[in-house]
Amino acid sequence: MRTELVEPRLRFSDLKPPPADFRREVVEGLRRPRKALSPKFFYDPEGCRLFEAICDLPEYYLTRTEVGILTEHADSIARTLGQGGALIELGSGNSRKVRLLLEALKPAVYVPVDIAREHLLTASRALAADCPWLDIHAACLDYSQRFALPFLPDTQRKIVFFPGSSIGNFEPAAAENLLRSVAQCVQPDGGLLIGFDLKKDAAILNAAYNDSAGVTAQFNLNLLRCINARAAANFDLDRFHHQAFYNERQGRIEMHLCSEYRQQVIVAGETFNFLDGETIHTESSYKYGIEEFQTLAHNAGFEPDRCWCDRDSLFCVHYFTVSAS
Ligand code: AVI
């Protein structure tokens, strides 16, 4: 690990996350009897732009609702979590949501964690300019793998902030593993402030992932453009369409790319056959009941402390403390 002092109150540690083997992962996903790709591949620059646009869509209530909860309850959240200590944000992106809490929480240090090195540095610099009173220690790492933050003293209290219902994009077993490694990171006296999307009327969920402007469809189809560019593929984007639906039994929105014809596609020199109507599963977005999520967190080593929801019970921001070991 290399740590550099970027600005007087901004440090940067590169924990050198190994780059994903895009071609291999894509080819392996397409070889499966039920073709599937990882949603992590959505986020090329165009995918990031489209996701930002999704967050502002009228049907996509998640971002707006979570921002509303954090804004309305910032003081109550700060009283519950306590001030000081290290505030660690997983997948910090543009650090937009944490800004709503920083004034109230006054952490001793804010630790944005992200895999995208340049984006992390740019966002950290912008935050440092806006909050000259704040110590920032950015860490470039892949939090979906077991992680540690060796530059933080063992004695410092640690709270992980994981907003955005990003946990919903992990399969439940992987979500539990991730929370287990968070529990290890914040032991012995820390906690986890996490935002997750709640189970609700399927019509609301279906609308959120099938917006009338078609931005989610573009976001989904952009994955094929990425594969064409990065894995020498010849997907014809006019021959696939976006599909998203709530799978009630699994408690998740599923996004797929559906082949409109029987066709062949070449990816990295290998030919893949598609039946008419066959899909590639591109994302799952799990929705939880509060108790259901508490059980998941408990199994990972956390105890529920307090939660904040919006008036319509669309979204939940929950604080958990780490269980005594
Ligand atoms: C990033 N993640 C929480 C989003 C979600 O709602 O699962 C990704 C997304 N996919 C389609 N719309 C938004």
Side-chain angles (χ1 to χ4, degrees), residues 39 42-43 51 54-55 60 62 163-169 197 208-209 216 219 242 253 255 283-287:
F42 279 135
Y43 301 95
F51 180 63
I54 287 174
C55 293
Y60 194 77
L62 286 82
S165 195
S166 299
I167 193 71
N169 297 131
D197 197 17
Y209 293 83
T216 311
F219 175 71
H242 164 73
I253 284 278
M255 289 215 314
E283 185 181 65
S284 292
S285 188
Y286 282 84
K287 313 300 169 187

